[in-house]
Amino acid sequence: MTPKVLKNYIDGEWVESKSGELLDVRNPATAEVIARVPLSTTDEVTSAIQAAKTAFPGWRETTPFTRARYMFELKNVMEDRFEELAAVIVKEHGKIIDEARGEVRRSIENVEVAAGIPSLMTGYNLEDVSQGIDEDCVYQPAGVFCCVTPFNFPLMVPIWFLPYAISCGNTYIVKPSEICPLSQILFFELLEEIDLPPGVVNMVNGDKRVVNALLESPDVEGLSFVGSTPVGKYLYAKAAEHGKRAQCQAGAKNCLVVMQDAVLEQSVPAIMSSVFGTAGQRCLAGALVVAVGDVYEPLEGMLVEAASNLKVGDGMDETVQMGPVVTQKSLDRIRGYIEKGIEEGARLLLDGRELQMEGNSDGYFIGPTIFTDVTPEMAIARDEIFGPVMGIVRVDDFDQAVEVIHSSPYGNAASIFTTSGKWAREFKYRVQAGNLGINIGIAAPVASFPFSGMKDSFFGDLHGQGRDAIEFFTDRKVVITRWF
Ligand code: NAD
């Protein structure tokens, strides 16, 4: 069967792109082409912006209660199609079905929080700021917003933004990942089912040409970006150049510190899931295990044993614990880093390149890999590998562990495994990373909290999700009143 060519969603209609440029979308477990995604033209971006701009005044006047009701509807249709959404994620991305279900659940939670908009968007006031004069601060929607999103949470990341943006009364344009665009197609089919007015939500598929056209338009108010650090940094500067607000959530290299007093039986499964979940392709993935003092000896053996036992395969198989990585290019990059780690003098305890798959698989599979004797200056310790590769760094004490964390330019997440309240408190107080876990391997904030990030992991001030989202998607207007 010829794979279908994906369409854009503009002004309430599915429209074919006029661009002749198409990219193959592949199932990472089989390498089979499952769809073709257009690299849309700047004219198509202009149409989407125009549709969103035209829809804005009417949508803004729609009451927050009515806008919230659309969120309730959206939640319902997502619940009805829960398994289908999860299956599409597995097909385009490769993660295991349970992780995909988690992604759908987290997406729905954002819709649920955004449904609280009548209370989230209220302003504040103060009487008698001077005698007989009152002051009010009102929260108003600002216009057309857009997001540019990564492949690794293809359904959820746009949903970190879109529900809040439109609940606040803005109109919206999504530019999905061109590597994994299918779950956004299904999500927009669901948005179509809830009958939003045309132009309130739009989707334009493509690559940097689409992104540049969005950022260069005077009719776009702001950008939410999630992706790698070089692109995030570049787009943050470009947004500023064009007078737009931007929040750019970027790359990561996260440390998991294991203290001597950690309960290893509980910590090791959490570390496994942090490092090897989603085949390491998470911005919250643990990448470096920092073993403090003599915890190293028992920890090393337990990590290698647990990782060796992970079942790797097609994510649709419910018994599989780790799927493939997303593309051949990713696989080549990860293999390259394994070679680099050996050259740099790290000791390979478990080599994922030796993975034997049952049957002949053309998929992009690599097994869990563990290096030890990793030092912070090695490329495998510094760079975001974005694959199932763990590096173990040995340190003598807590202070050295914090130094290892701070030697990275990134500051997305960090975790500590300990039974000591003192170390947990020190960790929380001192560590410069936006999302911290204490005996938690993946410190993923729920929808009502900001998805944080610091240093080279975030460019901006207001993060996705939570109260930050409401601040980002509104203007504050101050009205000072005196009546004679
Ligand atoms: P990526 O930076 O390659 O792509 C992200 C998006 O940017 C895509 O939609 C892509 O089309 C667009 N893009 C790429 N190059 C561009 C350019 N030159 N100009 C304009 N747009 C461009 O990222 P990816 O490989 O899809 O995703 C993985 C990255 O995302 C990792 O670094 C990961 O850590 C990061 N990530 C961060 C978070 C977070 O919240 N901090 C969450 C998820 C993923």
Side-chain angles (χ1 to χ4, degrees), residues 148-152 160 175-178 206-208 211 225-229 231 234-235 249-252 283 384 386 412 451 457:
V148 173
T149 52
F151 77 83
N152 65 331
W160 278 350
K175 201 301 276 174
S177 163
E178 64 274 38
D207 63 1
K208 61 184 173 198
V211 182
F225 168 85
V226 181
S228 59
T229 290
V231 180
Y234 159 71
L235 293 182
Q249 301 186 194
C283 69
E384 184 177 35
F386 226 52
N412 209 42
F451 194 102
S457 296

PDB file of all heavy atoms in Angstrom, residues 148-152 160 175-178 206-208 211 225-229 231 234-235 249-252 283 384 386 412 451 457, ligand 1:
ATOM      1  N   VAL A 148       6.652  24.689  18.348  1.00  0.00           N
ATOM      2  CA  VAL A 148       7.536  23.893  17.490  1.00  0.00           C
ATOM      3  C   VAL A 148       8.070  22.796  18.402  1.00  0.00           C
ATOM      4  O   VAL A 148       8.677  23.091  19.437  1.00  0.00           O
ATOM      5  CB  VAL A 148       8.681  24.778  16.950  1.00  0.00           C
ATOM      6  CG1 VAL A 148       9.711  23.941  16.210  1.00  0.00           C
ATOM      7  CG2 VAL A 148       8.119  25.884  16.064  1.00  0.00           C
ATOM      8  N   THR A 149       7.843  21.542  18.031  1.00  0.00           N
ATOM      9  CA  THR A 149       7.992  20.487  19.049  1.00  0.00           C
ATOM     10  C   THR A 149       8.866  19.318  18.575  1.00  0.00           C
ATOM     11  O   THR A 149       9.061  19.126  17.378  1.00  0.00           O
ATOM     12  CB  THR A 149       6.592  19.994  19.468  1.00  0.00           C
ATOM     13  OG1 THR A 149       5.865  19.643  18.297  1.00  0.00           O
ATOM     14  CG2 THR A 149       5.843  21.074  20.217  1.00  0.00           C
ATOM     15  N   PRO A 150       9.378  18.525  19.543  1.00  0.00           N
ATOM     16  CA  PRO A 150      10.339  17.472  19.223  1.00  0.00           C
ATOM     17  C   PRO A 150       9.665  16.130  18.936  1.00  0.00           C
ATOM     18  O   PRO A 150       8.463  15.967  19.137  1.00  0.00           O
ATOM     19  CB  PRO A 150      11.150  17.381  20.519  1.00  0.00           C
ATOM     20  CG  PRO A 150      10.138  17.638  21.583  1.00  0.00           C
ATOM     21  CD  PRO A 150       9.148  18.620  21.006  1.00  0.00           C
ATOM     22  N   PHE A 151      10.507  15.163  18.548  1.00  0.00           N
ATOM     23  CA  PHE A 151       9.953  13.850  18.176  1.00  0.00           C
ATOM     24  C   PHE A 151       9.629  12.981  19.383  1.00  0.00           C
ATOM     25  O   PHE A 151       8.846  12.056  19.289  1.00  0.00           O
ATOM     26  CB  PHE A 151      10.953  13.108  17.265  1.00  0.00           C
ATOM     27  CG  PHE A 151      12.113  12.504  18.009  1.00  0.00           C
ATOM     28  CD1 PHE A 151      11.993  11.259  18.624  1.00  0.00           C
ATOM     29  CD2 PHE A 151      13.334  13.176  18.132  1.00  0.00           C
ATOM     30  CE1 PHE A 151      13.052  10.706  19.337  1.00  0.00           C
ATOM     31  CE2 PHE A 151      14.383  12.631  18.842  1.00  0.00           C
ATOM     32  CZ  PHE A 151      14.235  11.395  19.448  1.00  0.00           C
ATOM     33  N   ASN A 152      10.227  13.282  20.562  1.00  0.00           N
ATOM     34  CA  ASN A 152      10.247  12.234  21.587  1.00  0.00           C
ATOM     35  C   ASN A 152       8.961  12.107  22.403  1.00  0.00           C
ATOM     36  O   ASN A 152       8.698  11.060  22.965  1.00  0.00           O
ATOM     37  CB  ASN A 152      11.480  12.363  22.492  1.00  0.00           C
ATOM     38  CG  ASN A 152      11.482  13.620  23.310  1.00  0.00           C
ATOM     39  OD1 ASN A 152      10.931  14.638  22.905  1.00  0.00           O
ATOM     40  ND2 ASN A 152      12.094  13.572  24.472  1.00  0.00           N
ATOM     41  N   TRP A 160       1.331  20.473  26.023  1.00  0.00           N
ATOM     42  CA  TRP A 160       1.830  21.295  27.123  1.00  0.00           C
ATOM     43  C   TRP A 160       1.414  22.763  26.916  1.00  0.00           C
ATOM     44  O   TRP A 160       1.490  23.557  27.846  1.00  0.00           O
ATOM     45  CB  TRP A 160       3.353  21.271  27.169  1.00  0.00           C
ATOM     46  CG  TRP A 160       3.979  20.097  27.832  1.00  0.00           C
ATOM     47  CD1 TRP A 160       3.355  19.126  28.563  1.00  0.00           C
ATOM     48  CD2 TRP A 160       5.372  19.771  27.841  1.00  0.00           C
ATOM     49  NE1 TRP A 160       4.286  18.231  29.026  1.00  0.00           N
ATOM     50  CE2 TRP A 160       5.517  18.594  28.600  1.00  0.00           C
ATOM     51  CE3 TRP A 160       6.504  20.354  27.289  1.00  0.00           C
ATOM     52  CZ2 TRP A 160       6.761  17.994  28.813  1.00  0.00           C
ATOM     53  CZ3 TRP A 160       7.727  19.761  27.502  1.00  0.00           C
ATOM     54  CH2 TRP A 160       7.860  18.589  28.253  1.00  0.00           C
ATOM     55  N   LYS A 175       3.423  23.304  14.892  1.00  0.00           N
ATOM     56  CA  LYS A 175       4.353  22.737  13.894  1.00  0.00           C
ATOM     57  C   LYS A 175       4.922  21.479  14.549  1.00  0.00           C
ATOM     58  O   LYS A 175       5.826  21.531  15.373  1.00  0.00           O
ATOM     59  CB  LYS A 175       5.472  23.748  13.598  1.00  0.00           C
ATOM     60  CG  LYS A 175       6.213  23.556  12.283  1.00  0.00           C
ATOM     61  CD  LYS A 175       6.905  22.224  12.092  1.00  0.00           C
ATOM     62  CE  LYS A 175       8.283  22.167  12.723  1.00  0.00           C
ATOM     63  NZ  LYS A 175       8.864  20.788  12.644  1.00  0.00           N
ATOM     64  N   PRO A 176       4.345  20.307  14.199  1.00  0.00           N
ATOM     65  CA  PRO A 176       4.793  19.063  14.863  1.00  0.00           C
ATOM     66  C   PRO A 176       6.190  18.660  14.398  1.00  0.00           C
ATOM     67  O   PRO A 176       6.701  19.196  13.420  1.00  0.00           O
ATOM     68  CB  PRO A 176       3.781  18.021  14.377  1.00  0.00           C
ATOM     69  CG  PRO A 176       2.754  18.744  13.590  1.00  0.00           C
ATOM     70  CD  PRO A 176       3.332  20.054  13.180  1.00  0.00           C
ATOM     71  N   SER A 177       6.741  17.687  15.105  1.00  0.00           N
ATOM     72  CA  SER A 177       8.014  17.104  14.653  1.00  0.00           C
ATOM     73  C   SER A 177       7.780  16.440  13.301  1.00  0.00           C
ATOM     74  O   SER A 177       6.815  15.690  13.129  1.00  0.00           O
ATOM     75  CB  SER A 177       8.470  16.048  15.653  1.00  0.00           C
ATOM     76  OG  SER A 177       9.445  15.219  15.056  1.00  0.00           O
ATOM     77  N   GLU A 178       8.684  16.678  12.379  1.00  0.00           N
ATOM     78  CA  GLU A 178       8.538  16.038  11.060  1.00  0.00           C
ATOM     79  C   GLU A 178       8.950  14.563  11.119  1.00  0.00           C
ATOM     80  O   GLU A 178       8.671  13.800  10.193  1.00  0.00           O
ATOM     81  CB  GLU A 178       9.331  16.800   9.991  1.00  0.00           C
ATOM     82  CG  GLU A 178      10.838  16.829  10.156  1.00  0.00           C
ATOM     83  CD  GLU A 178      11.326  17.966  11.071  1.00  0.00           C
ATOM     84  OE1 GLU A 178      10.660  18.263  12.085  1.00  0.00           O
ATOM     85  OE2 GLU A 178      12.392  18.520  10.765  1.00  0.00           O
ATOM     86  N   GLY A 206       6.088  20.418   8.630  1.00  0.00           N
ATOM     87  CA  GLY A 206       7.269  20.873   7.901  1.00  0.00           C
ATOM     88  C   GLY A 206       8.495  20.952   8.765  1.00  0.00           C
ATOM     89  O   GLY A 206       8.566  20.340   9.831  1.00  0.00           O
ATOM     90  N   ASP A 207       9.458  21.726   8.271  1.00  0.00           N
ATOM     91  CA  ASP A 207      10.736  21.835   8.972  1.00  0.00           C
ATOM     92  C   ASP A 207      11.056  23.290   9.250  1.00  0.00           C
ATOM     93  O   ASP A 207      10.156  24.115   9.439  1.00  0.00           O
ATOM     94  CB  ASP A 207      11.837  21.126   8.164  1.00  0.00           C
ATOM     95  CG  ASP A 207      12.065  21.771   6.800  1.00  0.00           C
ATOM     96  OD1 ASP A 207      11.381  22.782   6.487  1.00  0.00           O
ATOM     97  OD2 ASP A 207      12.930  21.292   6.048  1.00  0.00           O
ATOM     98  N   LYS A 208      12.334  23.630   9.220  1.00  0.00           N
ATOM     99  CA  LYS A 208      12.738  24.976   9.658  1.00  0.00           C
ATOM    100  C   LYS A 208      12.143  26.085   8.789  1.00  0.00           C
ATOM    101  O   LYS A 208      11.987  27.212   9.253  1.00  0.00           O
ATOM    102  CB  LYS A 208      14.256  25.091   9.745  1.00  0.00           C
ATOM    103  CG  LYS A 208      14.985  24.878   8.465  1.00  0.00           C
ATOM    104  CD  LYS A 208      16.485  24.927   8.727  1.00  0.00           C
ATOM    105  CE  LYS A 208      17.205  24.538   7.456  1.00  0.00           C
ATOM    106  NZ  LYS A 208      18.567  24.146   7.661  1.00  0.00           N
ATOM    107  N   VAL A 211       9.117  27.065  10.522  1.00  0.00           N
ATOM    108  CA  VAL A 211       9.449  27.745  11.790  1.00  0.00           C
ATOM    109  C   VAL A 211       9.891  29.182  11.517  1.00  0.00           C
ATOM    110  O   VAL A 211       9.435  30.130  12.181  1.00  0.00           O
ATOM    111  CB  VAL A 211      10.557  26.966  12.546  1.00  0.00           C
ATOM    112  CG1 VAL A 211      10.867  27.634  13.876  1.00  0.00           C
ATOM    113  CG2 VAL A 211      10.139  25.512  12.758  1.00  0.00           C
ATOM    114  N   PHE A 225       8.844  26.536  22.217  1.00  0.00           N
ATOM    115  CA  PHE A 225       9.700  25.567  21.534  1.00  0.00           C
ATOM    116  C   PHE A 225      10.131  24.501  22.519  1.00  0.00           C
ATOM    117  O   PHE A 225      10.458  24.812  23.672  1.00  0.00           O
ATOM    118  CB  PHE A 225      10.951  26.267  20.972  1.00  0.00           C
ATOM    119  CG  PHE A 225      12.015  25.297  20.518  1.00  0.00           C
ATOM    120  CD1 PHE A 225      11.977  24.752  19.245  1.00  0.00           C
ATOM    121  CD2 PHE A 225      13.033  24.908  21.384  1.00  0.00           C
ATOM    122  CE1 PHE A 225      12.947  23.826  18.836  1.00  0.00           C
ATOM    123  CE2 PHE A 225      14.005  23.987  20.982  1.00  0.00           C
ATOM    124  CZ  PHE A 225      13.961  23.456  19.706  1.00  0.00           C
ATOM    125  N   VAL A 226      10.177  23.266  22.065  1.00  0.00           N
ATOM    126  CA  VAL A 226      10.803  22.197  22.835  1.00  0.00           C
ATOM    127  C   VAL A 226      11.651  21.395  21.854  1.00  0.00           C
ATOM    128  O   VAL A 226      11.160  20.968  20.805  1.00  0.00           O
ATOM    129  CB  VAL A 226       9.756  21.290  23.523  1.00  0.00           C
ATOM    130  CG1 VAL A 226      10.452  20.194  24.331  1.00  0.00           C
ATOM    131  CG2 VAL A 226       8.845  22.096  24.445  1.00  0.00           C
ATOM    132  N   GLY A 227      12.920  21.223  22.188  1.00  0.00           N
ATOM    133  CA  GLY A 227      13.814  20.479  21.298  1.00  0.00           C
ATOM    134  C   GLY A 227      15.240  20.601  21.789  1.00  0.00           C
ATOM    135  O   GLY A 227      15.477  20.851  22.980  1.00  0.00           O
ATOM    136  N   SER A 228      16.189  20.483  20.874  1.00  0.00           N
ATOM    137  CA  SER A 228      17.600  20.454  21.274  1.00  0.00           C
ATOM    138  C   SER A 228      18.103  21.860  21.617  1.00  0.00           C
ATOM    139  O   SER A 228      17.520  22.861  21.196  1.00  0.00           O
ATOM    140  CB  SER A 228      18.424  19.859  20.136  1.00  0.00           C
ATOM    141  OG  SER A 228      18.249  20.660  18.989  1.00  0.00           O
ATOM    142  N   THR A 229      19.213  21.901  22.343  1.00  0.00           N
ATOM    143  CA  THR A 229      19.743  23.186  22.807  1.00  0.00           C
ATOM    144  C   THR A 229      20.198  24.116  21.672  1.00  0.00           C
ATOM    145  O   THR A 229      19.831  25.296  21.687  1.00  0.00           O
ATOM    146  CB  THR A 229      20.873  22.946  23.833  1.00  0.00           C
ATOM    147  OG1 THR A 229      20.240  22.426  25.012  1.00  0.00           O
ATOM    148  CG2 THR A 229      21.625  24.219  24.185  1.00  0.00           C
ATOM    149  N   VAL A 231      19.141  24.454  18.668  1.00  0.00           N
ATOM    150  CA  VAL A 231      17.965  25.009  17.971  1.00  0.00           C
ATOM    151  C   VAL A 231      17.194  25.939  18.917  1.00  0.00           C
ATOM    152  O   VAL A 231      16.774  27.032  18.526  1.00  0.00           O
ATOM    153  CB  VAL A 231      17.057  23.882  17.419  1.00  0.00           C
ATOM    154  CG1 VAL A 231      15.844  24.471  16.704  1.00  0.00           C
ATOM    155  CG2 VAL A 231      17.827  22.981  16.467  1.00  0.00           C
ATOM    156  N   TYR A 234      18.989  29.271  19.261  1.00  0.00           N
ATOM    157  CA  TYR A 234      18.875  30.031  18.018  1.00  0.00           C
ATOM    158  C   TYR A 234      17.462  30.627  17.878  1.00  0.00           C
ATOM    159  O   TYR A 234      17.295  31.807  17.556  1.00  0.00           O
ATOM    160  CB  TYR A 234      19.219  29.098  16.841  1.00  0.00           C
ATOM    161  CG  TYR A 234      18.685  29.546  15.502  1.00  0.00           C
ATOM    162  CD1 TYR A 234      19.233  30.653  14.855  1.00  0.00           C
ATOM    163  CD2 TYR A 234      17.637  28.864  14.880  1.00  0.00           C
ATOM    164  CE1 TYR A 234      18.736  31.076  13.628  1.00  0.00           C
ATOM    165  CE2 TYR A 234      17.129  29.274  13.668  1.00  0.00           C
ATOM    166  CZ  TYR A 234      17.677  30.384  13.051  1.00  0.00           C
ATOM    167  OH  TYR A 234      17.171  30.802  11.846  1.00  0.00           O
ATOM    168  N   LEU A 235      16.451  29.821  18.187  1.00  0.00           N
ATOM    169  CA  LEU A 235      15.077  30.311  18.015  1.00  0.00           C
ATOM    170  C   LEU A 235      14.725  31.359  19.074  1.00  0.00           C
ATOM    171  O   LEU A 235      13.942  32.271  18.815  1.00  0.00           O
ATOM    172  CB  LEU A 235      14.077  29.152  18.044  1.00  0.00           C
ATOM    173  CG  LEU A 235      14.172  28.188  16.855  1.00  0.00           C
ATOM    174  CD1 LEU A 235      13.098  27.111  16.955  1.00  0.00           C
ATOM    175  CD2 LEU A 235      14.041  28.919  15.516  1.00  0.00           C
ATOM    176  N   GLN A 249      12.327  25.250  25.715  1.00  0.00           N
ATOM    177  CA  GLN A 249      12.779  24.150  26.579  1.00  0.00           C
ATOM    178  C   GLN A 249      13.717  23.275  25.751  1.00  0.00           C
ATOM    179  O   GLN A 249      13.352  22.870  24.635  1.00  0.00           O
ATOM    180  CB  GLN A 249      11.565  23.368  27.082  1.00  0.00           C
ATOM    181  CG  GLN A 249      10.615  24.276  27.848  1.00  0.00           C
ATOM    182  CD  GLN A 249       9.437  23.566  28.505  1.00  0.00           C
ATOM    183  OE1 GLN A 249       8.507  24.240  28.918  1.00  0.00           O
ATOM    184  NE2 GLN A 249       9.464  22.250  28.618  1.00  0.00           N
ATOM    185  N   ALA A 250      14.898  23.000  26.287  1.00  0.00           N
ATOM    186  CA  ALA A 250      15.930  22.437  25.427  1.00  0.00           C
ATOM    187  C   ALA A 250      16.537  21.154  25.986  1.00  0.00           C
ATOM    188  O   ALA A 250      15.912  20.446  26.778  1.00  0.00           O
ATOM    189  CB  ALA A 250      16.972  23.517  25.180  1.00  0.00           C
ATOM    190  N   GLY A 251      17.762  20.863  25.555  1.00  0.00           N
ATOM    191  CA  GLY A 251      18.397  19.572  25.807  1.00  0.00           C
ATOM    192  C   GLY A 251      18.823  19.345  27.250  1.00  0.00           C
ATOM    193  O   GLY A 251      18.643  20.207  28.117  1.00  0.00           O
ATOM    194  N   ALA A 252      19.430  18.196  27.490  1.00  0.00           N
ATOM    195  CA  ALA A 252      19.690  17.807  28.877  1.00  0.00           C
ATOM    196  C   ALA A 252      20.811  16.783  28.961  1.00  0.00           C
ATOM    197  O   ALA A 252      21.152  16.124  27.965  1.00  0.00           O
ATOM    198  CB  ALA A 252      18.419  17.189  29.466  1.00  0.00           C
ATOM    199  N   CYS A 283      14.081  14.024  27.717  1.00  0.00           N
ATOM    200  CA  CYS A 283      14.892  15.126  28.260  1.00  0.00           C
ATOM    201  C   CYS A 283      15.066  14.955  29.755  1.00  0.00           C
ATOM    202  O   CYS A 283      15.903  15.606  30.351  1.00  0.00           O
ATOM    203  CB  CYS A 283      14.256  16.463  27.929  1.00  0.00           C
ATOM    204  SG  CYS A 283      12.738  16.721  28.821  1.00  0.00           S
ATOM    205  N   GLU A 384      24.705  15.257  25.120  1.00  0.00           N
ATOM    206  CA  GLU A 384      23.418  14.559  25.209  1.00  0.00           C
ATOM    207  C   GLU A 384      23.424  13.452  24.146  1.00  0.00           C
ATOM    208  O   GLU A 384      23.347  13.738  22.955  1.00  0.00           O
ATOM    209  CB  GLU A 384      22.268  15.548  24.937  1.00  0.00           C
ATOM    210  CG  GLU A 384      20.909  14.927  25.107  1.00  0.00           C
ATOM    211  CD  GLU A 384      19.769  15.922  24.904  1.00  0.00           C
ATOM    212  OE1 GLU A 384      19.891  16.829  24.069  1.00  0.00           O
ATOM    213  OE2 GLU A 384      18.734  15.771  25.595  1.00  0.00           O
ATOM    214  N   PHE A 386      21.207  10.903  23.964  1.00  0.00           N
ATOM    215  CA  PHE A 386      19.802  10.650  23.632  1.00  0.00           C
ATOM    216  C   PHE A 386      19.594   9.228  23.128  1.00  0.00           C
ATOM    217  O   PHE A 386      19.003   8.970  22.073  1.00  0.00           O
ATOM    218  CB  PHE A 386      19.297  11.675  22.613  1.00  0.00           C
ATOM    219  CG  PHE A 386      17.947  12.241  22.995  1.00  0.00           C
ATOM    220  CD1 PHE A 386      17.729  12.774  24.248  1.00  0.00           C
ATOM    221  CD2 PHE A 386      16.880  12.235  22.093  1.00  0.00           C
ATOM    222  CE1 PHE A 386      16.495  13.287  24.609  1.00  0.00           C
ATOM    223  CE2 PHE A 386      15.641  12.744  22.444  1.00  0.00           C
ATOM    224  CZ  PHE A 386      15.452  13.276  23.710  1.00  0.00           C
ATOM    225  N   ASN A 412      18.616  20.527  33.302  1.00  0.00           N
ATOM    226  CA  ASN A 412      17.210  20.142  33.149  1.00  0.00           C
ATOM    227  C   ASN A 412      16.690  19.388  34.374  1.00  0.00           C
ATOM    228  O   ASN A 412      15.687  19.777  34.953  1.00  0.00           O
ATOM    229  CB  ASN A 412      17.024  19.293  31.896  1.00  0.00           C
ATOM    230  CG  ASN A 412      15.640  19.459  31.320  1.00  0.00           C
ATOM    231  OD1 ASN A 412      15.124  20.583  31.269  1.00  0.00           O
ATOM    232  ND2 ASN A 412      15.017  18.385  30.904  1.00  0.00           N
ATOM    233  N   PHE A 451       6.926  22.823  33.918  1.00  0.00           N
ATOM    234  CA  PHE A 451       7.991  21.915  33.493  1.00  0.00           C
ATOM    235  C   PHE A 451       9.242  22.778  33.432  1.00  0.00           C
ATOM    236  O   PHE A 451       9.450  23.531  32.501  1.00  0.00           O
ATOM    237  CB  PHE A 451       7.679  21.312  32.128  1.00  0.00           C
ATOM    238  CG  PHE A 451       8.562  20.145  31.823  1.00  0.00           C
ATOM    239  CD1 PHE A 451       8.086  18.854  31.955  1.00  0.00           C
ATOM    240  CD2 PHE A 451       9.873  20.334  31.438  1.00  0.00           C
ATOM    241  CE1 PHE A 451       8.907  17.771  31.694  1.00  0.00           C
ATOM    242  CE2 PHE A 451      10.709  19.260  31.187  1.00  0.00           C
ATOM    243  CZ  PHE A 451      10.222  17.974  31.309  1.00  0.00           C
ATOM    244  N   SER A 457      19.401  24.296  29.380  1.00  0.00           N
ATOM    245  CA  SER A 457      18.211  23.474  29.149  1.00  0.00           C
ATOM    246  C   SER A 457      16.952  24.320  28.999  1.00  0.00           C
ATOM    247  O   SER A 457      15.871  23.771  28.764  1.00  0.00           O
ATOM    248  CB  SER A 457      18.011  22.486  30.309  1.00  0.00           C
ATOM    249  OG  SER A 457      19.083  21.586  30.364  1.00  0.00           O
TER     250      SER A 457
HETATM  251  P1  NAD B   1      15.266  19.200  17.382  1.00  0.00           P
HETATM  252  O1  NAD B   1      15.842  20.403  18.024  1.00  0.00           O
HETATM  253  O2  NAD B   1      16.055  18.547  16.300  1.00  0.00           O
HETATM  254  O3  NAD B   1      13.836  19.553  16.732  1.00  0.00           O
HETATM  255  C1  NAD B   1      12.821  20.141  17.484  1.00  0.00           C
HETATM  256  C2  NAD B   1      11.925  20.945  16.551  1.00  0.00           C
HETATM  257  O4  NAD B   1      12.679  22.019  16.000  1.00  0.00           O
HETATM  258  C3  NAD B   1      11.373  20.146  15.376  1.00  0.00           C
HETATM  259  O5  NAD B   1      10.015  20.477  15.198  1.00  0.00           O
HETATM  260  C4  NAD B   1      12.224  20.620  14.207  1.00  0.00           C
HETATM  261  O6  NAD B   1      11.517  20.622  12.980  1.00  0.00           O
HETATM  262  C5  NAD B   1      12.575  22.042  14.589  1.00  0.00           C
HETATM  263  N1  NAD B   1      13.885  22.459  14.066  1.00  0.00           N
HETATM  264  C6  NAD B   1      14.996  21.698  13.953  1.00  0.00           C
HETATM  265  N2  NAD B   1      16.017  22.440  13.456  1.00  0.00           N
HETATM  266  C7  NAD B   1      15.538  23.683  13.260  1.00  0.00           C
HETATM  267  C8  NAD B   1      16.115  24.900  12.768  1.00  0.00           C
HETATM  268  N3  NAD B   1      17.383  24.964  12.383  1.00  0.00           N
HETATM  269  N4  NAD B   1      15.331  25.995  12.699  1.00  0.00           N
HETATM  270  C9  NAD B   1      14.040  25.941  13.094  1.00  0.00           C
HETATM  271  N5  NAD B   1      13.447  24.820  13.572  1.00  0.00           N
HETATM  272  C10 NAD B   1      14.178  23.701  13.649  1.00  0.00           C
HETATM  273  O7  NAD B   1      14.928  18.166  18.553  1.00  0.00           O
HETATM  274  P2  NAD B   1      14.453  16.645  18.447  1.00  0.00           P
HETATM  275  O8  NAD B   1      15.602  15.805  18.012  1.00  0.00           O
HETATM  276  O9  NAD B   1      13.167  16.537  17.705  1.00  0.00           O
HETATM  277  O10 NAD B   1      14.115  16.343  19.989  1.00  0.00           O
HETATM  278  C11 NAD B   1      15.074  15.925  20.920  1.00  0.00           C
HETATM  279  C12 NAD B   1      15.565  17.082  21.767  1.00  0.00           C
HETATM  280  O11 NAD B   1      14.483  17.691  22.464  1.00  0.00           O
HETATM  281  C13 NAD B   1      16.535  16.631  22.860  1.00  0.00           C
HETATM  282  O12 NAD B   1      17.596  17.551  22.920  1.00  0.00           O
HETATM  283  C14 NAD B   1      15.694  16.679  24.126  1.00  0.00           C
HETATM  284  O13 NAD B   1      16.430  16.857  25.318  1.00  0.00           O
HETATM  285  C15 NAD B   1      14.831  17.857  23.840  1.00  0.00           C
HETATM  286  N6  NAD B   1      13.626  17.877  24.674  1.00  0.00           N
HETATM  287  C16 NAD B   1      13.550  18.789  25.671  1.00  0.00           C
HETATM  288  C17 NAD B   1      12.452  18.822  26.517  1.00  0.00           C
HETATM  289  C18 NAD B   1      12.362  19.826  27.623  1.00  0.00           C
HETATM  290  O14 NAD B   1      11.271  20.051  28.135  1.00  0.00           O
HETATM  291  N7  NAD B   1      13.454  20.456  28.020  1.00  0.00           N
HETATM  292  C19 NAD B   1      11.401  17.911  26.312  1.00  0.00           C
HETATM  293  C20 NAD B   1      11.488  17.004  25.272  1.00  0.00           C
HETATM  294  C21 NAD B   1      12.622  16.989  24.444  1.00  0.00           C
END
